[in-house]
């Protein structure tokens, strides 16, 4: 058997693997101890660790004036990459929004868009995760009425 083509298999057991080990470089060096006869050989690879998603909202609430745009966002940490969806949580049942990004852009918001939104992440590794963001939509009419009411109270 030619020493240059022999194969050795080695299993590496990492007892306390965590998501922080993802992407770590692992190398193996074989050295026969005879440098004049057989040179040391080396092999390496990157460790791939799969773990379920963790979702955190960038901000727990957002505010936009009626007619303006709003942006809701969440941060997802997972491996492999997570599929993100958004839903508007209502009193009846959640309304799925056809959007698959960790940022939800809402254009020309109205007071009916106000409420609780959920960012869901699922990468196939259980459990899936979610976080909520509250959208508050301010309305000019309410501001005008509020100002008129305050003037009425102070003038009495």
């Amino acid at each position: 058997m030619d020493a240059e083509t022999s194969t050795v298999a080695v299993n590496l057991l990492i007892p306390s693997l965590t998501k922080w080990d993802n992407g770590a470089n692992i190398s193996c060096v074989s050295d026969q101890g005879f440098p004049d006869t057989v040179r040391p050989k080396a092999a390496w690879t990157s460790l791939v660790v799969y773990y379920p998603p963790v979702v955190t909202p960038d901000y727990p609430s957002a505010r936009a004036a009626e007619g303006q745009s709003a942006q809701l966002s969440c941060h997802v940490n997972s491996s492999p990459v997570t599929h993100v969806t958004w839903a508007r949580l209502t009193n009846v049942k959640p309304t799925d929004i056809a959007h698959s990004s960790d940022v939800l852009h809402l254009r020309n918001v109205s007071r009916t868009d106000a409420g609780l939104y959920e960012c869901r992440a699922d990468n196939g590794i259980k459990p899936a995760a979610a976080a909520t963001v509250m959208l508050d939509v301010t309305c000019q009419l309410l501001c005008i009425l509020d100002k008129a009411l305050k003037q009425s109270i102070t003038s009495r």
Side-chain angles (χ1 to χ4, degrees), residues 53-55 76 82-85 119-123 127-130:
V54 175
V55 180
V76 179
T82 299
H83 177 69
V84 177
T85 58
C119 172
R120 293 184 211 146
D122 187 358
N123 66 352

Side-chain angles (χ1 to χ4, degrees), residues 4 16 18 35 66 70-71 73 88 98 100 103 123 125 129 135 146 151:
E4 292 294 319
S16 298
T18 69
E66 192 166 34
Q71 180 174 300
S73 59
R88 179 160 182 255
S100 60
V103 178
N123 66 352
I125 298 174
L135 175 62
D146 185 44
Q151 286 176 349

Side-chain angles (χ1 to χ4, degrees), residues 37-53:
T37 308
V38 180
R39 291 183 303 160
K41 300 274 185 177
W44 54 90
T45 189
S46 289
L47 192 59
V48 177
V49 179
Y50 294 130
Y51 54 92

